[in-house]
Amino acid sequence: MDTRTLCLGALTSGPATGYAIKKHFEDTFGYFMEVSHSAIYPALAELLQEGLVTVSRVEQETRPDKKVYSLTPAGRVRFQRDLAASPGKHRVRSEFLVLMFFAQWLPPERLRAVVEAQREEFLRLRDAVDCWLREHGSDMPAGMRFTAGYGAAVIRAAIDYLDAHRDELLAAPDTAATASPVDEAASLGPLQPA
Amino acid sequence: MDTRTLCLGALTSGPATGYAIKKHFEDTFGYFMEVSHSAIYPALAELLQEGLVTVSRVEQETRPDKKVYSLTPAGRVRFQRDLAASPGKHRVRSEFLVLMFFAQWLPPERLRAVVEAQREEFLRLRDAVDCWLREHGSDMPAGMRFTAGYGAAVIRAAIDYLDAHRDELLAAPDTAATASPVDEAASLGPLQPA
DNA sequence: AGTAACATGTAACGCGTTACATGATTTG
DNA sequence: CAAATCATGTAACGCGTTACATGTTACT
């Protein structure tokens, strides 16, 4: 899923500037798809050249000038084609979980800090999604409500799991990080013995 | 979180070949951190040059020769340093959820297929994690059990959500994909009006 | 007979992120 | 007075993925 396709998708909700598209992404699917502004502007320029969007410059006195982009019929068709062509892969890339996986190699206070930080982040996300659902949920198409509800459900499960198993993890006695520097006896043996 | 750090981490469980490290990753945190073999081999070569791992060539008659890597004390220290230095960011990058977000622009049969495929994938993952917990869970350090349990909890929540809201999504009457090609009246208006 | 598993590498391409660059206004 | 918001871009760097490359054995 290309930044260009994402921009076309954002524009299906109406004309917008690059800045507004970025905001839109953050407010809606920010938690499952990050898009940086430095990827959006070049993408919009390419879409313009391909005739998939049009642009109109809007002068503002109190603010910098805007470039408001709109979807052309060709752009709408292209978006549907690209969307349908996407394999729809779902991937999680979590350094947080890698840290938890190797918890025993982390200093206990660092481990605690990481867990707490992630929990705070999840609470923040949960509240943001709940807020969005309350304020915009009823106006939005089924798909957008679905993803918001999905996010809320999964984040809640994560928070519950953290709360239920945090102590178990933090109280772990096998802190290799504070044990003797070289402790070969603690090895689990060779991986995948031949 | 660099592939090199991940390799060092894998070797904390004992000596292994590049191939075994890849397997180890797939079997344990494959669902939250993907590592391709073409990133592992160069990473191991770099670690060797830096003196963080050692290698011993093992000849096999029935199989291609192996290069078994082991962690040096310096490598163990470096791993702990790199691990503690990681910000521990947790990110989800899901084209699946983008597809759901834009469900109205997808042909209904395609939408259904994507949802079913993802559900199957989640079921597969859930079973794999459950199996791992049954078979290895009790031997493993708290951190590894924690991540497995976390995965199981979150995947279960996802499956439950899918089952509870799938029909709602698929039965959506507002399939813009099959509506008149250009339907400006359906627009939600400009994003972020100035 | 064909596929999966075992086993190790290289090369190029694409894409995203970070940093660089600028600048006015509003809010706390 | 500092920080956030609005607003748009460029350039380089790094990193991961895909494809290319090779070869044997065991299982279905």
Side-chain angles (χ1 to χ4, degrees), chain B residues 55-157:
Chain B
V55 70
S56 70
R57 178 171 290 269
V58 175
E59 284 170 36
Q60 297 180 128
E61 284 156 19
T62 162
R63 291 287 181 196
D65 288 2
K66 286 181 180 183
K67 288 165 84 172
V68 178
Y69 293 90
S70 303
L71 207 55
T72 64
R76 199 174 294 265
V77 169
R78 178 59 143 297
F79 172 61
Q80 287 180 57
R81 208 187 67 189
D82 290 350
L83 196 70
S86 166
K89 197 175 165 192
H90 177 82
R91 71 206 286 195
V92 180
R93 188 176 177 86
S94 175
E95 294 190 358
F96 165 68
L97 288 173
V98 173
L99 253 40
M100 297 303 100
F101 189 85
F102 292 119
Q104 62 179 321
W105 302 102
L106 227 43
E109 63 279 16
R110 168 86 180 130
L111 176 60
R112 176 180 300 273
V114 170
V115 173
E116 286 313 312
Q118 189 60 54
R119 185 170 178 279
E120 291 304 318
E121 176 65 9
F122 280 148
L123 289 177
R124 210 183 55 73
L125 278 169
R126 184 197 59 184
D127 293 342
V129 175
D130 284 347
C131 172
W132 185 88
L133 274 168
R134 266 199 317 276
E135 289 183 12
H136 311 285
S138 43
D139 319 323
M140 294 295 167
M144 303 193 184
R145 279 201 308 277
F146 180 86
T147 49
Y150 176 95
V154 164
I155 290 166
R156 253 173 247 280

Side-chain angles (χ1 to χ4, degrees), chain B residues 12-78:
Chain B
T12 59
S13 295
T17 65
Y19 189 85
I21 289 172
K22 170 89 165 72
K23 274 286 182 169
H24 181 233
F25 284 147
E26 280 173 4
D27 293 344
T28 53
F29 48 69
Y31 84 97
F32 61 80
M33 184 63 73
E34 282 171 32
V35 185
S36 62
H37 79 269
S38 45
I40 289 174
Y41 292 116
L44 286 171
E46 288 169 35
L47 292 172
L48 189 62
Q49 276 198 314
E50 294 175 52
L52 303 173
V53 298
T54 56
V55 70
S56 70
R57 178 171 290 269
V58 175
E59 284 170 36
Q60 297 180 128
E61 284 156 19
T62 162
R63 291 287 181 196
D65 288 2
K66 286 181 180 183
K67 288 165 84 172
V68 178
Y69 293 90
S70 303
L71 207 55
T72 64
R76 199 174 294 265
V77 169
R78 178 59 143 297

Side-chain angles (χ1 to χ4, degrees), chain A residues 1 13 86 90 94-95 110 189, chain B residues 1 13 86 90 95 110 189:
Chain A
M1 183 88 52
S13 294
S86 167
H90 175 83
S94 175
E95 296 191 356
R110 169 82 181 134
Chain B
M1 183 86 53
S13 295
S86 166
H90 177 82
E95 294 190 358
R110 168 86 180 130

Side-chain angles (χ1 to χ4, degrees), chain A residues 10-194:
Chain A
L11 294 176
T12 59
S13 294
T17 65
Y19 189 85
I21 289 172
K22 170 90 164 76
K23 275 286 182 173
H24 181 234
F25 285 147
E26 280 173 4
D27 294 344
T28 55
F29 49 69
Y31 84 97
F32 61 81
M33 186 61 76
E34 283 171 31
V35 186
S36 62
H37 79 269
S38 43
I40 290 173
Y41 292 116
L44 286 170
E46 288 169 35
L47 292 171
L48 189 61
Q49 276 197 315
E50 294 173 53
L52 303 173
V53 300
T54 56
V55 68
S56 70
R57 178 171 288 270
V58 176
E59 285 170 36
Q60 296 180 128
E61 285 156 19
T62 163
R63 290 287 180 195
D65 288 3
K66 287 180 179 184
K67 288 165 85 172
V68 178
Y69 292 89
S70 303
L71 207 55
T72 65
R76 197 173 295 263
V77 169
R78 179 59 144 294
F79 172 61
Q80 286 179 60
R81 208 187 66 187
D82 291 350
L83 196 69
S86 167
K89 197 175 164 193
H90 175 83
R91 75 207 282 199
V92 180
R93 188 176 177 86
S94 175
E95 296 191 356
F96 164 67
L97 288 174
V98 174
L99 254 38
M100 297 303 100
F101 188 85
F102 291 120
Q104 60 179 323
W105 302 103
L106 226 44
E109 63 278 16
R110 169 82 181 134
L111 176 61
R112 177 181 298 274
V114 170
V115 173
E116 287 312 311
Q118 188 59 56
R119 186 170 176 277
E120 292 302 318
E121 177 64 10
F122 280 147
L123 290 176
R124 209 181 56 70
L125 277 169
R126 184 197 58 185
D127 292 342
V129 174
D130 284 347
C131 173
W132 185 86
L133 274 168
R134 266 199 316 276
E135 289 184 10
H136 311 286
S138 44
D139 319 326
M140 294 295 167
M144 304 194 184
R145 279 200 308 277
F146 180 87
T147 49
Y150 176 95
V154 165
I155 290 165
R156 254 174 247 279
I159 293 169
D160 289 346
Y161 184 82
L162 246 49
D163 287 339
H165 298 273
R166 180 170 35 171
D167 293 337
E168 199 178 316
L169 183 71
L170 296 175
D174 56 343
T175 50
T178 53
S180 58
V182 183
D183 188 2
E184 294 300 329
S187 169
L188 296 171
L191 303 175
Q192 304 280 324

